[in-house]
Amino acid sequence: MEFFSYLVDFVLHIDVHLFELVANYGMWIYAILFVVVFCETGLVVTPFLPGDSLLFASGVVAGTGHMGYVEVMGVLLAAGICGDAVNYSIGRRVGPAIFSRDSRFIKKEHLLKAHAFYERHGGKAIILARFVPIVRTFAPFVAGIALMCPRQFFSYNVLGCFLWVGGLVSAGYFLGNLPWVRENFGIIVYAIVIVSVLPVVIELLRARFGKREDVPQELRNPFERESDGK
């Protein structure tokens, strides 16, 4: 419980914690940022790690001169691209076995929803998912399960990461140190968190109060469909 309490406090006061990390660890802050973003995008068991707010706050800290803007951009771009690439590779290797059953950490229902998202939007899912927590973590994994063309995935992976990292870090860097932003930084972080999780909340409410429907046949486990066709 202490870990999750710290995680919530870290997200809600991420600017304060980042300044503390810079003061305590110096250049190692770049390694810390890389690990957090890599795990958030690359491991299907850590979708709870901060993403959007961390990128924005990193830009803010860079804007004060405590970190380099170019260095922050480079590290976070590398982390996001490598994270999705690893997640995709895991999906190609072990996805079919995990997709067929629930595990302690991974719910089949979550995978089916991510698969439905991928089926509806095709390759654009990799780009759009960058801006949706939880889906951001599962989309590359499902792309691996679906055996998406590696070259096509890499293109969408890189483009989506540039839009995600570049947009949020740059917003923090250029806007984060304006007087009105500094005075209301906590509110802005709350807003980023709310906007980030809003699609997930809407989906949960729809699932809770909407008409319950079975997962359409075309959105079920693709490997089951292959078996049925044999």
Side-chain angles (χ1 to χ4, degrees):
M1 289 300 295
E2 291 183 4
F3 170 76
F4 288 103
S5 297
Y6 175 79
L7 183 62
V8 171
D9 183 72
F10 184 89
V11 171
L12 297 181
H13 304 94
I14 196 166
D15 58 323
V16 175
H17 288 287
L18 271 184
F19 279 113
E20 291 177 351
L21 289 172
V22 171
N24 293 332
Y25 296 100
M27 295 296 292
W28 284 103
I29 185 62
Y30 297 111
I32 294 172
L33 292 177
F34 181 93
V35 170
V36 173
V37 173
F38 175 84
C39 291
E40 198 258 353
T41 58
L43 304 178
V44 293
V45 296
T46 52
F48 53 83
L49 292 174
D52 301 330
S53 58
L54 179 64
L55 268 57
F56 182 82
S58 297
V60 173
V61 175
T64 65
H66 288 78
M67 290 193 295
Y69 173 72
V70 174
E71 288 82 354
V72 169
M73 287 286 290
V75 166
L76 295 180
L77 283 171
I81 293 172
C82 291
D84 263 28
V86 168
N87 213 344
Y88 170 82
S89 299
I90 293 174
R92 287 183 68 94
R93 288 181 175 273
V94 303
I98 296 178
F99 213 137
S100 65
R101 65 183 185 279
D102 280 336
S103 69
R104 180 179 179 183
F105 299 104
I106 304 171
K107 295 296 183 182
K108 182 179 178 180
E109 178 185 2
H110 294 163
L111 293 176
L112 288 172
K113 288 182 178 180
H115 178 65
F117 183 88
Y118 174 77
E119 288 280 321
R120 287 196 302 269
H121 298 287
K124 292 184 296 184
I126 305 303
I127 296 176
L128 298 176
R130 286 287 187 182
F131 302 90
V132 185
I134 299 178
V135 175
R136 174 167 58 238
T137 303
F138 284 106
F141 182 71
V142 175
I145 292 175
L147 302 178
M148 182 179 182
C149 173
R151 284 177 294 182
Q152 183 184 23
F153 172 81
F154 180 76
S155 298
Y156 284 112
N157 176 17
V158 172
L159 177 58
C161 193
F162 266 89
L163 293 174
W164 181 53
V165 172
L168 287 171
V169 172
S170 296
Y173 181 82
F174 292 108
L175 303 177
N177 290 290
L178 295 176
W180 66 270
V181 175
R182 290 201 303 268
E183 294 170 2
N184 299 282
F185 190 85
I187 296 176
I188 293 174
V189 171
Y190 279 109
I192 292 174
V193 172
I194 291 172
V195 171
S196 298
V197 303
L198 190 58
V200 178
V201 173
I202 292 174
E203 181 63 26
L204 290 175
L205 291 176
R206 289 177 59 187
R208 175 65 177 85
F209 298 106
K211 183 179 179 180
R212 296 183 63 87
E213 298 180 355
D214 293 333
V215 178
Q217 179 66 35
E218 65 270 16
L219 297 183
R220 292 178 183 171
N221 188 337
F223 296 95
E224 291 177 355
R225 299 205 304 271
E226 290 180 5
S227 297
D228 292 340
K230 291 182 179 180

